[in-house]
């Protein structure tokens, strides 16, 4: 996502809370957050699971064991936080981290080539509901960021299109919060192939932060190129703060359309 934004392949991108500070730390300077939404206090559907027959009952039992994770991701951040809370880390003398691409973590666990793995959302059911020894609660803020390149904010047409996108994002999250069952059917059931009950479990397990007012920029009919994956869970009482545009409209959670 960050590479696509930096190269100019897309104008808008949506990422989790871990990649952006990593990119900034690596010297990336051309990106700016135009919107932030959050689900504070949520486990965010991050689950640290263990093979059921290897005597791993708690995080402390992972010492000397192998754990699969995708480096540079939210899962990496949450795993590091979980281990740190138990006096462990991803090092040769502590927990043996196995860095893999995000799509390879679950198959690696299923093949039993690792003792544990940090998985997300529907992956938990697709790998057979193994024992959960910890989740993301207390190790993340549930923050997601809508990004663009700074240079685009000097282009009036692009700025208008970006403002329109953020307004639509706010309206979407308000609809999602007001229609949880419809969202579960459209996302977890239709897109991910889970049962409604499994989707409901994930949606409930994600938790929902405190109610906040939501803001979006003024409406426009322009268009921009966007790369933004739909979220894996409901942010029913999420927060989205418009950070750089003028002339915003105020939204309240549960409303499906903005009001002037």
């Amino acid at each position: 996502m960050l590479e696509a934004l930096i190269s100019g392949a897309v104008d808008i991108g949506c990422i989790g809370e871990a990649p952006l500070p990593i990119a900034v730390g690596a010297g990336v300077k051309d990106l700016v957050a135009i919107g932030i939404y959050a689900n504070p206090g949520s486990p965010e559907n991050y689950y640290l699971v263990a093979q059921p027959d290897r005597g791993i009952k708690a995080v402390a039992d992972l010492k000397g064991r192998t754990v699969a994770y995708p480096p540079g991701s939210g899962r990496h951040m949450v795993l590091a936080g979980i281990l740190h809370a138990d006096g462990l880390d991803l090092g040769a003398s502590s927990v043996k981290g196995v860095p893999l691409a995000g799509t390879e973590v679950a198959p690696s666990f299923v093949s039993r080539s690792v003792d544990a793995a940090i998985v997300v959302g529907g992956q938990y059911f697709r790998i057979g509901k193994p024992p959960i020894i910890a989740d993301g609660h207390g190790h993340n803020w549930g923050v997601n960021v809508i990004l663009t390149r700074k240079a685009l904010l000097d282009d009036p047409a692009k700025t208008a299109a970006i403002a329109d996108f953020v307004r639509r994002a706010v309206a979407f999250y308000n609809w999602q919060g007001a229609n949880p069952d419809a969202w579960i059917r459209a996302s977890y059931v239709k897109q991910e192939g889970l049962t409604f009950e499994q989707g409901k479990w994930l949606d409930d397990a994600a938790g929902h932060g405190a109610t906040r007012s939501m803001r979006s920029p003024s409406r426009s009919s322009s268009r921009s190129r966007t790369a933004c994956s739909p979220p894996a869970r409901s942010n029913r009482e999420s927060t989205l703060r418009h950070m750089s545009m003028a002339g915003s409209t105020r939204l309240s959670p549960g409303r499906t359309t903005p009001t002037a």
Side-chain angles (χ1 to χ4, degrees):
M1 181 66 70
L2 292 173
E3 290 173 354
L5 281 163
I6 294 168
S7 70
V10 297
D11 294 330
I12 303 173
C14 305
I15 62 172
E17 61 193 309
L20 183 56
I22 292 173
V24 172
V28 174
K29 299 179 179 179
D30 188 39
L31 300 181
V32 60
I34 54 172
I36 295 174
Y37 57 96
N39 191 9
S42 165
E44 286 293 281
N45 285 156
Y46 291 128
Y47 303 111
L48 180 56
V49 298
Q51 300 289 357
D53 57 353
R54 298 189 185 178
I56 302 173
K57 306 297 183 183
V59 175
D61 298 330
L62 291 175
K63 187 170 183 178
R65 306 295 189 103
T66 54
V67 180
Y69 69 96
S73 67
R75 280 188 274 173
H76 185 180
M77 177 189 69
V78 168
L79 174 61
I82 290 171
L83 295 178
H84 181 75
D86 272 75
L88 302 172
D89 59 53
L90 290 169
S93 62
S94 186
V95 177
K96 299 175 182 177
V98 180
L100 297 170
T103 55
E104 296 175 359
V105 171
S108 177
F109 183 86
V110 171
S111 70
R112 302 178 62 80
S113 59
V114 294
D115 298 307
I118 182 124
V119 298
V120 63
Q123 289 180 338
Y124 173 66
F125 290 101
R126 286 190 284 272
I127 62 177
K129 296 172 60 178
I132 298 172
I133 59 174
D135 62 30
H137 184 76
H139 302 286
N140 66 284
W141 292 100
V143 171
N144 292 269
V145 184
I146 302 177
L147 295 171
T148 191
R149 295 189 306 283
K150 291 180 181 179
L152 295 186
L153 300 181
D154 294 326
D155 182 329
K158 289 289 186 181
T159 299
I162 290 168
D164 183 57
F165 174 81
V166 177
R167 181 192 63 80
R168 293 170 186 271
V170 173
F172 160 71
Y173 281 109
N174 284 342
W175 174 88
Q176 185 189 41
N179 301 274
D181 287 356
W183 165 248
I184 290 169
R185 291 188 181 93
S187 177
Y188 290 114
V189 178
K190 186 175 181 179
Q191 290 190 332
E192 297 193 39
L194 303 179
T195 66
F196 179 86
E197 290 71 24
Q198 290 171 337
K200 183 70 164 58
W201 187 90
L202 289 170
D203 187 64
D204 290 343
H208 306 289
T211 301
R212 296 288 187 272
S213 65
M214 305 170 74
R215 299 180 64 84
S216 75
S218 56
R219 189 167 188 165
S220 168
S221 61
S222 301
R223 293 187 177 183
S224 59
R225 293 167 292 164
T226 306
C228 190
S229 301
R233 80 285 172 203
S234 171
N235 284 292
R236 188 168 303 137
E237 294 172 344
S238 60
T239 300
L240 190 150
R241 296 188 184 93
H242 166 58
M243 300 183 66
S244 60
M245 308 295 181
S248 61
T249 55
R250 181 177 296 276
L251 294 174
S252 298
R255 296 189 66 91
T256 57
T257 57
T259 57

